Amino acid sequence: MLEIDGLQVEPVIGLEIHVHLRTRTKMWCGCLLAYGAEPNTHVCPVCLGLPGALPVANAEAVALAIRMGIALNCRIAEFSKWDRKSYYYPDLPKNYQISQYDLPLCADGYLEFPFGDAIRKIRITRAHLEEDAGKNIHDIPGLTAVDLNRAGTPLLEIVTEPDLAGAEETREFALQLHRLVRYLGVSDANMQLGQMRFEPNINVRIHADGRVHATPIVEVKNLNSFRSVHGAIDYEIRRQVAAWREDGQVARPGNKANRGWDDNREVTVPQREKEEANDYRYFPDPDLVPVCPDAAQVAAWRLATPELPIPRTDRFISEYKLAPREAPALVDCKATADLLDAAGEFPCDKALLGKHFLSFWSRLANERETTIAGLGVPPRSFSELADLVRDKVINATAAAQIAEEIVARIDGQLGGTGRPGDSDCQRAIPPIDRPEWAPRELADQLGLVQSQDADEIAAWVAAAFEANQKAVGDALANPRKRKAARGFLLGAVMKLSGGKADPRLVGEQIDAELSRRAD
Ligand code: ZN
Ligand code: MN
């Protein structure tokens, strides 16, 4: 419940989400999905809607839709069919969209996610398959062009119950869905490419004079960023309260309206009135056979559903001692999360392993515009490196150096190709495993094994004291400068030793030497 201008206001929000599925080809034909290709170069009689052309459903799209339905705890239909949704628009050459009306592939599910201190459970009404339309292009002065490359792209439409109660919460839900489709490989969900679009249905229940007044429902069309989802809902809540004060209008059949979001002005603007459902004249598509998913296949997909991002994040936080803010970075790329778990299978210090993943392994991946799973490092090398640090064979700086060396050697083998892009969360490359590239081996080769030799360290400490008389003097004369001077001396010893001295032993010797001189 919000308080706006002295009124108790209860936002009621449902969300429709359109997701492009990660298939190779379109929904009803063999045309490739090609983002950013020359207009109208990926078209054929089927997706151009030429008379007589017959669609065939893409089995890969059906499989992805069902796998998503399972992850959303949906009931998977045993019998599902295709329906024509008729409307007329230049980007829709058939004059109807093939969709699913009364028998969607997936229905009655839910998604739970943490929000604030609570777990929110949002019911999923349905998730059905359909096709995207083409695109009208308005950037040529004086005319509108049509690009039909996108026509026929497989779309999963997910519809929630009106269970969301605010802008923040809806944005978080949208983020979690985005994570989930990418994690499962159901969609690349690139928002800039329009691969995931949100349409919130918003109204508010105003509690006033002992009564509840529900404002007319507004559907905000085609939002393609989390920021705009939040902004549009936030704006609508306020606008609807103000409109109700003005005209007292309440929701009734037929007064639902569509609005668009103006990203620059950050306001919603009126659009054409929503057609009544029966204007679409839904009827079963006579060109397509119904879909009857094989029960054994669905059961196999159910079994094969991986640990999902939200529970996996919780596990990573406790198992790898990750900060809650940092954990999602290692979970969201499924291939990298799997790799971390594979590395964690070897007995090792898991907290260090997680720390290394978040620091230098991430950096090395970023530099190569790939994921950690795209580096090609064998799982055992990650854990071995963590153990070398735990056992003080090498220090943290040396660990980063060794990691860099391993990846540079793999670079040499790969010749700069063959790695997945940094947004591909599905693909790991086969690791390149050479005994001579093992971390322990490299620590020796690169001379990075820490010196635990007390005499050797004593010599470096003596040399550092000799060369930095001022710091020594400061530390002795002024207790408040002692900490800074000690750090300075420690740095000097590490430098003298070429990073090989064990910093803990060095610190102990510096302290001992300072105490001795202070007496
Ligand atoms: Zn086609
Ligand atoms: Mn739709």
Side-chain angles (χ1 to χ4, degrees), residues 29 31 44 47:
C29 60
C31 291
C44 73
C47 53

Side-chain angles (χ1 to χ4, degrees), residues 17-23 63-72 111 124 127-128 154-159 172-191 194-198 226 305-310 331-335 423-426:
I17 307 100
H18 283 95
V19 192
H20 277 188
L21 295 177
R22 197 172 182 263
T23 54
L64 291 175
I66 293 176
R67 285 177 40 214
M68 185 63 189
I70 292 169
L72 290 174
L111 179 68
I124 306 291
H128 70 250
L155 266 188
L156 184 66
E157 178 176 325
I158 302 167
V159 183
E172 183 59 27
F173 175 79
L175 276 163
Q176 293 291 357
L177 261 189
H178 182 255
R179 281 181 97 187
L180 185 58
V181 292
R182 288 173 50 83
Y183 181 89
L184 291 173
V186 162
S187 174
D188 289 329
N190 181 319
M191 313 279 283
Q195 292 175 335
M196 191 167 194
R197 311 192 291 262
F198 299 96
F226 302 109
T305 301
E307 183 183 27
L308 296 180
I310 293 169
V331 173
D332 289 355
C333 171
K334 182 172 180 294
S423 67
D424 186 346
C425 350
Q426 298 302 312

